[in-house]
Amino acid sequence: MEEVVHSIKFIAINTRHKRAPTATTVCTHNMLTIQLTIIFYLLCIQPSIALLVSSPSVKKPHTYRRSFRTSASGTNQRIATKTSLSSLSPDATSILLSSNDDTVLKSLAEALGYLIGAASVLLYTPIAVRIVRTKSANGLAVSTWWLKLTSFTCTDIYNIRNGFPIAAYSESIIITLEAIIVLGLVTYYQHRLNATTFILLGCYIILTTFALYGAPDEWINIGQVTSIILSTSALLPQLKQNADRQTSGDYSPITASLATVGCILRIFTTIQLADSDTLILLNYGVALLLNLSVLTQIVYFGTQKEGKTLTDLFLADVKSTKKVGD
């Protein structure tokens, strides 16, 4: 830059004194012309460089990225990017913005998926804690937990066999394990650890192994449809039992609330991460309606029939010592 300024001053002095250009003057003038031409050329291609940096669909050469970052400040980068976007056609701009929005939504869905998985650790824990504290499971229907376990397992197998990302069904794996624990507690405290229980458990293990490693894809799809039917049937015994007894029962309102919120979030993550799979969306839609029904039933019978407050209902898992149904 100092050389350019010196050359300009030199030419101006020669012109003012009307001296004949020497060989050195001509050489310096030519160098100045080349330098100014290069600078002008870089300024002209600046919008193209900005476009390469801002467009995710174009492979960005590292040399262009470095020249853009070193030749412009943060403000100039934003101006150049806006200029390049404004030069695009409306269709190209909408495609570019849509691509960025999809990336953000997928990232959000993935983060929510893992968050739901972590939160699901507490989904059935309140029920297990209540059973252990009261040493009773009379307010729970054992058939509900067999149906839940089978339904969750069908959903796990469907997701695994279709290769969906783990973020799309992380909580399903966790609540499957929790359902096994609660089922074990219910059968133990209801004194149902008999031959029938162990036969059912053996059939469950054999069928699950076959579905994961040997079953045709058509059978897996049927299994997911079965999961939807089972998820509908799973809570029906609990709903009927609560209605017959006119009590809030032993089903945790915290569990019902978390399941309701989780189903709403899972509908969003399924759209983003599992290509809006129809069977999975239907599964979570049905589960949403059922869990919301159980929650409504617990709140209604608890407040209207049993005279409890909402605080008492939602703290019953850790405070209650009364055995419901005894």
Side-chain angles (χ1 to χ4, degrees), residues 31-98:
M31 288 177 60
L32 178 61
T33 302
I34 293 172
Q35 291 170 346
L36 292 175
T37 302
I38 292 174
I39 293 172
F40 178 76
Y41 176 74
L42 290 174
L43 291 174
C44 288
I45 67 170
Q46 187 80 348
S48 299
I49 298 173
L51 178 60
L52 288 172
V53 173
S54 61
S55 176
S57 61
V58 180
K59 188 175 182 180
K60 312 178 202 43
H62 294 292
T63 54
Y64 282 174
R65 186 186 301 183
R66 283 197 299 268
S67 64
F68 174 73
R69 289 180 176 176
T70 55
S71 64
S73 62
T75 303
N76 290 335
Q77 290 182 24
R78 290 191 293 270
I79 295 174
T81 302
K82 291 180 180 179
T83 303
S84 62
L85 289 175
S86 63
S87 64
L88 293 173
S89 64
D91 291 340
T93 304
S94 61
I95 292 173
L96 181 60
L97 294 177
S98 175

Coordinates of all heavy atoms in Angstrom, one line a residue, residues 31-98:
M31 N 3.0 -0.8 -12.9 CA 2.8 -1.5 -11.7 C 1.5 -1.0 -10.9 O 0.7 -1.8 -10.4 CB 4.0 -1.4 -10.7 CG 5.2 -2.2 -11.2 SD 6.6 -2.0 -10.1 CE 6.0 -2.6 -8.6
L32 N 1.4 0.3 -10.9 CA 0.2 0.9 -10.2 C -1.1 0.5 -10.9 O -2.1 0.1 -10.3 CB 0.4 2.4 -10.2 CG -0.8 3.1 -9.6 CD1 -1.0 2.7 -8.1 CD2 -0.6 4.6 -9.7
T33 N -1.0 0.5 -12.2 CA -2.2 0.1 -13.0 C -2.6 -1.4 -12.8 O -3.8 -1.7 -12.6 CB -1.9 0.3 -14.5 OG1 -1.6 1.6 -14.8 CG2 -3.2 -0.1 -15.3
I34 N -1.6 -2.2 -12.7 CA -1.9 -3.7 -12.4 C -2.5 -3.8 -11.0 O -3.5 -4.6 -10.8 CB -0.6 -4.5 -12.6 CG1 -0.1 -4.5 -14.1 CG2 -0.8 -5.9 -12.1 CD1 1.2 -5.1 -14.3
Q35 N -1.9 -3.1 -10.1 CA -2.4 -3.3 -8.7 C -3.8 -2.8 -8.6 O -4.7 -3.4 -7.9 CB -1.5 -2.5 -7.7 CG -0.1 -3.1 -7.6 CD 0.8 -2.2 -6.8 OE1 0.6 -1.0 -6.7 NE2 2.0 -2.8 -6.4
L36 N -4.1 -1.6 -9.2 CA -5.5 -1.1 -9.1 C -6.5 -2.0 -9.8 O -7.6 -2.2 -9.4 CB -5.5 0.3 -9.7 CG -4.8 1.4 -9.0 CD1 -4.8 2.7 -9.7 CD2 -5.4 1.6 -7.6
T37 N -6.0 -2.6 -10.9 CA -6.9 -3.6 -11.6 C -7.2 -4.8 -10.8 O -8.4 -5.3 -10.7 CB -6.2 -4.1 -12.9 OG1 -5.9 -2.9 -13.7 CG2 -7.1 -5.0 -13.7
I38 N -6.2 -5.3 -10.1 CA -6.4 -6.5 -9.2 C -7.4 -6.1 -8.1 O -8.3 -6.9 -7.7 CB -5.1 -7.0 -8.6 CG1 -4.2 -7.5 -9.7 CG2 -5.3 -8.0 -7.5 CD1 -2.8 -7.9 -9.3
I39 N -7.2 -4.9 -7.5 CA -8.1 -4.5 -6.4 C -9.5 -4.4 -6.9 O -10.5 -4.8 -6.3 CB -7.6 -3.2 -5.8 CG1 -6.3 -3.4 -5.1 CG2 -8.7 -2.6 -4.8 CD1 -5.7 -2.1 -4.6
F40 N -9.7 -3.8 -8.1 CA -11.0 -3.6 -8.7 C -11.7 -5.0 -9.0 O -12.9 -5.2 -8.7 CB -10.9 -2.8 -10.0 CG -12.3 -2.6 -10.7 CD1 -13.2 -1.7 -10.2 CD2 -12.5 -3.3 -11.8 CE1 -14.4 -1.5 -10.8 CE2 -13.8 -3.2 -12.4 CZ -14.7 -2.3 -12.0
Y41 N -10.9 -5.9 -9.4 CA -11.4 -7.2 -9.7 C -11.9 -8.0 -8.5 O -13.0 -8.6 -8.4 CB -10.3 -8.1 -10.4 CG -10.7 -9.5 -10.7 CD1 -11.6 -9.8 -11.7 CD2 -10.2 -10.5 -9.9 CE1 -11.9 -11.2 -11.9 CE2 -10.5 -11.8 -10.1 CZ -11.4 -12.2 -11.1 OH -11.8 -13.4 -11.3
L42 N -11.1 -7.8 -7.4 CA -11.5 -8.4 -6.1 C -12.8 -7.8 -5.6 O -13.7 -8.5 -5.1 CB -10.4 -8.3 -5.1 CG -9.2 -9.1 -5.3 CD1 -8.1 -8.8 -4.3 CD2 -9.5 -10.6 -5.3
L43 N -13.0 -6.5 -5.8 CA -14.2 -5.9 -5.3 C -15.4 -6.4 -6.1 O -16.5 -6.5 -5.6 CB -14.1 -4.4 -5.4 CG -13.1 -3.7 -4.4 CD1 -13.0 -2.2 -4.7 CD2 -13.6 -3.9 -3.0
C44 N -15.2 -6.6 -7.4 CA -16.3 -7.0 -8.3 C -16.7 -8.5 -7.9 O -17.9 -8.8 -8.0 CB -15.8 -7.0 -9.8 SG -15.7 -5.3 -10.4
I45 N -15.8 -9.3 -7.6 CA -16.2 -10.7 -7.3 C -16.6 -10.9 -5.8 O -16.9 -12.0 -5.4 CB -15.1 -11.7 -7.6 CG1 -13.9 -11.5 -6.7 CG2 -14.7 -11.6 -9.1 CD1 -12.9 -12.6 -6.8
Q46 N -16.6 -9.8 -5.0 CA -16.9 -10.0 -3.6 C -18.3 -10.6 -3.4 O -18.5 -11.5 -2.5 CB -16.8 -8.6 -2.9 CG -17.0 -8.6 -1.4 CD -15.7 -9.0 -0.7 OE1 -14.8 -9.5 -1.4 NE2 -15.7 -8.9 0.6
P47 N -19.4 -10.2 -4.1 CA -20.7 -10.8 -3.9 C -20.7 -12.3 -4.1 O -21.3 -13.1 -3.4 CB -21.6 -10.1 -4.8 CG -20.9 -8.8 -5.0 CD -19.5 -9.0 -5.0
S48 N -19.9 -12.7 -5.1 CA -19.8 -14.2 -5.4 C -19.2 -14.9 -4.3 O -19.6 -16.0 -4.0 CB -19.0 -14.4 -6.7 OG -19.6 -13.7 -7.8
I49 N -18.1 -14.3 -3.7 CA -17.5 -15.0 -2.6 C -18.4 -15.1 -1.4 O -18.5 -16.1 -0.7 CB -16.2 -14.2 -2.2 CG1 -15.2 -14.2 -3.3 CG2 -15.6 -14.8 -0.9 CD1 -14.0 -13.3 -3.1
A50 N -19.2 -14.0 -1.2 CA -20.1 -14.1 -0.1 C -21.2 -15.1 -0.3 O -21.6 -15.8 0.7 CB -20.8 -12.7 0.1
L51 N -21.6 -15.3 -1.5 CA -22.6 -16.3 -1.8 C -22.1 -17.7 -1.6 O -22.8 -18.6 -1.0 CB -23.0 -16.2 -3.3 CG -24.0 -17.3 -3.8 CD1 -25.3 -17.2 -3.0 CD2 -24.3 -17.1 -5.3
L52 N -20.8 -18.0 -1.9 CA -20.2 -19.3 -1.6 C -20.1 -19.6 -0.2 O -20.3 -20.7 0.3 CB -18.8 -19.3 -2.3 CG -18.8 -19.4 -3.8 CD1 -17.3 -19.3 -4.2 CD2 -19.3 -20.7 -4.3
V53 N -19.9 -18.6 0.7 CA -19.8 -18.7 2.1 C -21.1 -19.0 2.7 O -21.3 -19.8 3.6 CB -19.1 -17.5 2.7 CG1 -19.1 -17.6 4.3 CG2 -17.7 -17.4 2.2
S54 N -22.2 -18.3 2.2 CA -23.5 -18.3 2.9 C -24.3 -19.5 2.4 O -25.2 -19.9 3.1 CB -24.2 -17.0 2.6 OG -24.5 -16.9 1.2
S55 N -24.1 -20.1 1.2 CA -24.9 -21.1 0.7 C -24.5 -22.5 1.2 O -23.4 -22.9 0.9 CB -24.9 -21.1 -0.8 OG -25.7 -22.1 -1.3
P56 N -25.4 -23.2 1.9 CA -25.0 -24.5 2.4 C -25.0 -25.6 1.3 O -24.5 -26.7 1.5 CB -26.1 -24.8 3.5 CG -27.3 -24.1 3.0 CD -26.7 -22.8 2.4
S57 N -25.7 -25.3 0.2 CA -25.8 -26.3 -0.9 C -24.6 -26.3 -1.8 O -24.5 -27.2 -2.7 CB -27.1 -26.1 -1.6 OG -27.1 -24.8 -2.2
V58 N -23.7 -25.3 -1.7 CA -22.6 -25.2 -2.6 C -21.3 -25.6 -1.8 O -21.1 -25.1 -0.7 CB -22.5 -23.8 -3.2 CG1 -21.3 -23.7 -4.1 CG2 -23.7 -23.4 -3.9
K59 N -20.5 -26.4 -2.4 CA -19.2 -26.7 -1.8 C -18.3 -25.5 -1.8 O -18.0 -25.0 -2.8 CB -18.6 -27.9 -2.5 CG -17.4 -28.5 -1.8 CD -16.9 -29.7 -2.5 CE -15.7 -30.3 -1.7 NZ -15.2 -31.5 -2.4
K60 N -17.8 -25.2 -0.6 CA -17.1 -23.9 -0.5 C -15.6 -24.2 -0.6 O -15.0 -24.9 0.3 CB -17.4 -23.2 0.9 CG -18.8 -23.1 1.2 CD -19.0 -22.5 2.6 CE -20.3 -22.8 3.2 NZ -20.8 -24.1 3.2
P61 N -14.9 -23.6 -1.6 CA -13.4 -23.7 -1.6 C -12.8 -23.0 -0.4 O -13.2 -21.9 -0.1 CB -13.1 -23.1 -2.9 CG -14.3 -23.1 -3.7 CD -15.4 -22.9 -2.7
H62 N -11.8 -23.6 0.2 CA -11.1 -23.0 1.3 C -10.5 -21.7 1.0 O -10.4 -20.8 1.8 CB -10.1 -24.0 1.9 CG -10.8 -25.2 2.5 ND1 -11.5 -25.2 3.6 CD2 -10.7 -26.5 2.0 CE1 -12.0 -26.4 3.9 NE2 -11.5 -27.2 2.9
T63 N -10.0 -21.5 -0.2 CA -9.3 -20.3 -0.6 C -10.3 -19.1 -0.6 O -9.9 -18.0 -0.2 CB -8.6 -20.5 -2.0 OG1 -9.6 -20.9 -2.9 CG2 -7.5 -21.5 -1.9
Y64 N -11.5 -19.4 -1.1 CA -12.5 -18.3 -1.2 C -12.9 -18.0 0.3 O -13.1 -16.8 0.6 CB -13.7 -18.8 -1.9 CG -13.5 -18.7 -3.4 CD1 -14.5 -19.2 -4.3 CD2 -12.4 -18.2 -4.0 CE1 -14.4 -19.2 -5.7 CE2 -12.2 -18.1 -5.4 CZ -13.2 -18.6 -6.2 OH -13.1 -18.5 -7.5
R65 N -13.0 -18.9 1.1 CA -13.5 -18.7 2.5 C -12.4 -17.8 3.2 O -12.7 -16.9 3.9 CB -13.7 -20.0 3.2 CG -14.3 -19.8 4.6 CD -14.4 -21.0 5.4 NE -15.2 -22.0 4.7 CZ -15.5 -23.2 5.2 NH1 -15.0 -23.5 6.4 NH2 -16.2 -24.1 4.6
R66 N -11.1 -18.1 3.0 CA -10.1 -17.4 3.7 C -10.0 -15.9 3.2 O -9.9 -15.0 3.9 CB -8.7 -18.1 3.5 CG -8.6 -19.3 4.4 CD -7.1 -19.7 4.4 NE -6.6 -20.0 3.1 CZ -6.6 -21.2 2.7 NH1 -7.1 -22.2 3.4 NH2 -6.1 -21.5 1.5
S67 N -10.1 -15.8 1.8 CA -10.0 -14.4 1.3 C -11.2 -13.6 1.7 O -11.0 -12.4 1.9 CB -10.0 -14.5 -0.3 OG -11.2 -15.0 -0.8
F68 N -12.4 -14.2 1.8 CA -13.5 -13.4 2.3 C -13.3 -12.9 3.7 O -13.6 -11.8 4.1 CB -14.8 -14.2 2.1 CG -16.0 -13.6 2.7 CD1 -16.6 -12.5 2.0 CD2 -16.6 -14.0 3.9 CE1 -17.7 -11.9 2.5 CE2 -17.7 -13.4 4.4 CZ -18.3 -12.3 3.7
R69 N -12.9 -13.9 4.6 CA -12.8 -13.5 6.0 C -11.7 -12.5 6.3 O -11.8 -11.7 7.2 CB -12.5 -14.8 6.8 CG -13.7 -15.7 6.9 CD -13.5 -16.9 7.7 NE -14.7 -17.8 7.8 CZ -14.7 -18.9 8.4 NH1 -13.6 -19.4 8.9 NH2 -15.8 -19.6 8.4
T70 N -10.6 -12.5 5.5 CA -9.5 -11.6 5.7 C -9.7 -10.3 5.1 O -9.1 -9.3 5.4 CB -8.2 -12.2 5.2 OG1 -8.3 -12.6 3.8 CG2 -7.9 -13.5 6.0
S71 N -10.6 -10.2 4.0 CA -10.7 -9.0 3.3 C -11.9 -8.1 3.8 O -12.0 -7.0 3.3 CB -10.9 -9.3 1.8 OG -12.1 -10.0 1.6
A72 N -12.7 -8.6 4.7 CA -13.8 -7.8 5.1 C -14.1 -7.9 6.6 O -13.8 -9.0 7.2 CB -15.1 -8.3 4.3
S73 N -14.6 -6.9 7.2 CA -14.9 -6.9 8.6 C -16.2 -7.6 8.8 O -16.9 -8.0 7.8 CB -15.0 -5.5 9.1 OG -16.0 -4.8 8.5
G74 N -16.7 -7.8 10.1 CA -17.9 -8.4 10.3 C -19.1 -7.7 9.7 O -20.0 -8.3 9.1
T75 N -19.0 -6.4 9.7 CA -20.1 -5.6 9.1 C -20.2 -5.8 7.6 O -21.2 -6.0 7.0 CB -19.9 -4.1 9.4 OG1 -19.9 -3.9 10.8 CG2 -21.1 -3.3 8.8
N76 N -19.0 -5.8 6.9 CA -18.9 -6.0 5.5 C -19.4 -7.4 5.1 O -20.0 -7.6 4.0 CB -17.5 -5.8 5.0 CG -17.1 -4.3 5.1 OD1 -18.0 -3.4 5.0 ND2 -15.8 -4.1 5.2
Q77 N -19.2 -8.4 6.0 CA -19.6 -9.7 5.7 C -21.2 -9.8 5.6 O -21.7 -10.4 4.7 CB -19.1 -10.7 6.7 CG -17.6 -11.0 6.7 CD -17.2 -12.0 7.7 OE1 -18.0 -12.8 8.2 NE2 -16.0 -11.9 8.1
R78 N -21.8 -9.1 6.6 CA -23.3 -9.1 6.6 C -23.8 -8.4 5.4 O -24.8 -8.8 4.8 CB -23.8 -8.5 7.9 CG -23.5 -9.4 9.2 CD -24.3 -8.8 10.3 NE -23.8 -7.5 10.7 CZ -22.8 -7.4 11.6 NH1 -22.2 -8.4 12.2 NH2 -22.4 -6.1 12.0
I79 N -23.2 -7.3 5.0 CA -23.7 -6.5 3.9 C -23.5 -7.4 2.6 O -24.4 -7.4 1.7 CB -22.9 -5.2 3.8 CG1 -23.2 -4.3 5.0 CG2 -23.2 -4.5 2.4 CD1 -22.4 -3.0 5.0
A80 N -22.3 -8.0 2.5 CA -22.1 -8.8 1.3 C -23.1 -10.0 1.2 O -23.6 -10.3 0.1 CB -20.7 -9.4 1.3
T81 N -23.4 -10.6 2.3 CA -24.3 -11.7 2.3 C -25.7 -11.3 1.9 O -26.4 -11.9 1.1 CB -24.4 -12.4 3.7 OG1 -23.1 -12.8 4.1 CG2 -25.3 -13.6 3.7
K82 N -26.1 -10.1 2.5 CA -27.4 -9.6 2.1 C -27.5 -9.3 0.6 O -28.5 -9.5 -0.1 CB -27.8 -8.3 2.9 CG -28.0 -8.7 4.4 CD -28.3 -7.4 5.2 CE -28.6 -7.7 6.6 NZ -28.9 -6.5 7.4
T83 N -26.4 -8.7 0.1 CA -26.3 -8.4 -1.3 C -26.5 -9.6 -2.2 O -27.2 -9.6 -3.2 CB -25.0 -7.6 -1.7 OG1 -24.9 -6.5 -0.8 CG2 -24.9 -7.2 -3.1
S84 N -25.7 -10.7 -1.8 CA -25.8 -11.9 -2.6 C -27.2 -12.5 -2.6 O -27.6 -13.1 -3.6 CB -24.7 -12.9 -2.1 OG -25.0 -13.3 -0.8
L85 N -27.8 -12.5 -1.4 CA -29.2 -13.1 -1.3 C -30.2 -12.3 -2.1 O -31.1 -12.8 -2.7 CB -29.6 -13.1 0.2 CG -28.9 -14.2 1.0 CD1 -29.4 -14.1 2.5 CD2 -29.2 -15.6 0.5
S86 N -30.0 -11.0 -2.1 CA -30.9 -10.1 -2.9 C -30.8 -10.3 -4.4 O -31.7 -10.1 -5.1 CB -30.7 -8.6 -2.5 OG -29.4 -8.2 -2.9
S87 N -29.6 -10.8 -4.8 CA -29.4 -11.0 -6.2 C -29.9 -12.3 -6.7 O -30.1 -12.5 -7.9 CB -27.9 -11.0 -6.5 OG -27.2 -12.0 -5.9
L88 N -30.3 -13.2 -5.8 CA -30.9 -14.5 -6.1 C -32.3 -14.3 -6.6 O -33.0 -13.3 -6.2 CB -30.8 -15.5 -5.0 CG -29.4 -15.9 -4.5 CD1 -29.6 -16.8 -3.2 CD2 -28.8 -16.7 -5.6
S89 N -32.8 -15.2 -7.3 CA -34.2 -15.2 -7.7 C -35.1 -15.6 -6.5 O -34.6 -16.2 -5.5 CB -34.5 -16.2 -8.8 OG -34.2 -17.6 -8.3
P90 N -36.4 -15.2 -6.5 CA -37.2 -15.5 -5.3 C -37.2 -17.0 -5.0 O -37.2 -17.4 -3.8 CB -38.6 -15.0 -5.8 CG -38.3 -14.0 -6.8 CD -37.1 -14.4 -7.5
D91 N -37.3 -17.9 -6.0 CA -37.3 -19.3 -5.8 C -36.0 -19.8 -5.1 O -36.1 -20.6 -4.2 CB -37.5 -20.1 -7.1 CG -38.9 -19.8 -7.6 OD1 -39.8 -19.4 -6.9 OD2 -39.1 -20.0 -8.9
A92 N -34.9 -19.3 -5.6 CA -33.6 -19.7 -5.0 C -33.5 -19.3 -3.6 O -33.0 -20.0 -2.7 CB -32.4 -19.2 -5.9
T93 N -33.9 -18.0 -3.3 CA -33.8 -17.5 -1.9 C -34.7 -18.3 -1.0 O -34.3 -18.7 0.1 CB -34.3 -16.0 -1.9 OG1 -33.5 -15.3 -2.8 CG2 -34.1 -15.5 -0.5
S94 N -35.9 -18.6 -1.4 CA -36.8 -19.4 -0.6 C -36.3 -20.8 -0.3 O -36.4 -21.3 0.8 CB -38.2 -19.5 -1.2 OG -38.1 -20.2 -2.5
I95 N -35.7 -21.4 -1.3 CA -35.1 -22.7 -1.1 C -33.9 -22.7 -0.1 O -33.8 -23.5 0.8 CB -34.6 -23.3 -2.5 CG1 -35.8 -23.6 -3.4 CG2 -33.7 -24.6 -2.3 CD1 -35.3 -24.0 -4.8
L96 N -33.1 -21.6 -0.2 CA -32.0 -21.5 0.7 C -32.4 -21.3 2.1 O -32.0 -21.9 3.1 CB -31.1 -20.3 0.2 CG -29.9 -20.0 1.1 CD1 -28.9 -21.1 1.1 CD2 -29.2 -18.7 0.6
L97 N -33.4 -20.4 2.3 CA -34.0 -20.1 3.6 C -34.7 -21.4 4.2 O -34.6 -21.7 5.4 CB -34.9 -18.9 3.6 CG -34.3 -17.6 3.3 CD1 -35.3 -16.5 3.2 CD2 -33.2 -17.2 4.3
S98 N -35.4 -22.1 3.3 CA -36.1 -23.3 3.7 C -35.1 -24.3 4.2 O -35.4 -25.0 5.2 CB -37.0 -23.8 2.6 OG -37.6 -25.0 3.0

